[in-house]
Amino acid sequence: MNETLKLLFERKSVRVFEDRPVPEGVKQAILRAAFEAPTAGNQMLYTILDITDPDLKARIAVTCDDQPFIAKAPLVLIFLADCRRWPRLYELAGEVPRAAGPGDLFLAMADACIAAQNAAVAAESLGLGSCYIGDILENCEQHRQLLNLKEYLVPACMLVIGYPTEAQKARTKPARFDARYVVFENRFRDLSDAELEEMWERREQADGKPRALGFREAVKAFCKRKYLSAFSREMSRSAKVYLRDFEGFDPEA
């Protein structure tokens, strides 16, 4: 196994950081790695917010599902799907651009997340740890005000970065689903009920977790904690608000 694969296989989310800053040169290397990510048509359909204001960081920690470790992270980067920059450039050149649509947003979301992943891998290679924060998509109105998000700007993801504590380094990475349940040749197919249950059970066994609950009870508990949670419902509500900017989206549909 080469060093790149080893890094990717061992990388895990880090939520506790040492109390030391990320040197400016290291930060710039991480940002440069983000810029070098694949991007649709070399457009770089994203903007990165480097959150350095401690008060703003603390407020974001609250608006992102009350996660105090965000405020303590030395480096906080918010990756915006940016469907605003290019139409403004076209107008500057005398062109009359069409209104941005959902397809433009989807492409920009992909660009932003690919850039973020490059940053995450770069940070890992430099001895830092990171954690993605999807909750930045929640509380649309508050985040628009806090971050000065104009129309056609959507927070795709947030990445918090810092030097992991020894306890975080030693923490076991959670197991993933086996490839047989995720990779299909040529065409999609739904997993059978038996395969779905097997998929869950195999991952639980790989994690070596004590079995306090049976299959049905464990999945129900996970569903309530994630899919049916207040934060999940809020994320969908906020996403709908952001989508109102884009031509062809019916907020009442």
Side-chain angles (χ1 to χ4, degrees):
M1 184 186 299
N2 65 40
E3 286 302 310
T4 301
L5 287 175
K6 185 173 185 293
L7 182 147
L8 290 170
F9 292 173
E10 294 181 356
R11 187 265 168 199
K12 60 196 172 195
S13 294
V14 173
R15 295 177 177 84
V16 186
F17 304 104
E18 292 183 353
D19 185 19
R20 59 168 166 147
V22 174
E24 183 62 26
V26 173
K27 178 167 77 172
Q28 292 306 317
I30 291 169
L31 290 172
R32 172 67 188 275
F35 302 156
E36 297 298 333
T39 170
N42 198 27
Q43 296 175 87
M44 298 175 71
L45 299 169
Y46 55 84
T47 288
I48 303 172
L49 303 182
D50 177 13
I51 308 300
T52 59
D53 182 341
D55 291 336
L56 178 56
K57 226 189 278 191
R59 293 184 70 181
I60 291 171
V62 174
T63 57
C64 288
D65 206 32
D66 293 309
Q67 301 184 80
F69 79 92
I70 295 171
K72 298 177 182 178
L75 180 57
V76 175
L77 302 176
I78 299 175
F79 291 77
L80 305 176
D82 188 341
C83 297
R84 184 178 179 84
R85 181 192 298 128
W86 280 94
R88 293 190 63 231
L89 183 65
Y90 296 145
E91 288 173 351
L92 183 63
E95 185 57 86
V96 181
R98 59 172 173 77
D104 300 297
L105 175 58
F106 282 20
L107 199 63
M109 291 288 278
D111 252 25
C113 290
I114 294 167
Q117 182 61 10
N118 255 34
V121 173
E124 195 79 14
S125 75
L126 293 167
L128 292 99
S130 63
C131 183
Y132 277 102
I133 309 293
D135 303 278
I136 193 63
L137 189 56
E138 298 171 36
N139 296 311
C140 169
E141 295 82 1
Q142 293 179 66
H143 288 144
R144 277 181 160 172
Q145 187 273 324
L146 286 172
L147 304 172
N148 191 33
L149 301 185
K150 303 177 186 299
E151 64 180 359
Y152 305 125
L153 296 173
V154 179
C157 63
M158 180 162 70
L159 198 59
V160 297
I161 299 171
Y163 291 97
T165 62
E166 291 301 319
Q168 287 287 292
K169 291 178 185 177
R171 185 173 55 83
T172 302
K173 179 176 180 174
R176 303 304 200 226
F177 289 134
D178 190 84
R180 75 186 76 180
Y181 309 112
V182 181
V183 181
F184 303 117
E185 188 171 357
N186 297 323
R187 291 177 174 82
F188 174 82
R189 71 172 180 84
D190 274 320
L191 296 173
S192 68
D193 291 353
E195 286 175 312
L196 283 171
E197 183 171 349
E198 182 183 72
M199 176 188 74
W200 173 274
E201 295 287 7
R202 282 179 176 271
R203 191 177 71 172
E204 293 293 288
Q205 291 167 8
D207 266 338
K209 296 177 181 177
R211 297 301 301 271
L213 298 173
F215 166 73
R216 289 175 62 84
E217 292 76 15
V219 174
K220 282 182 178 181
F222 189 87
C223 180
K224 289 175 182 176
R225 190 168 74 252
K226 296 289 185 181
Y227 197 67
L228 298 181
S229 66
F231 78 79
S232 181
R233 297 178 191 276
E234 164 53 27
M235 188 176 292
S236 288
R237 184 202 69 82
S238 281
K240 197 171 183 179
V241 176
Y242 283 118
L243 279 166
R244 288 174 186 158
D245 288 343
F246 293 87
E247 186 178 67
F249 174 73
D250 181 0
E252 304 305 322

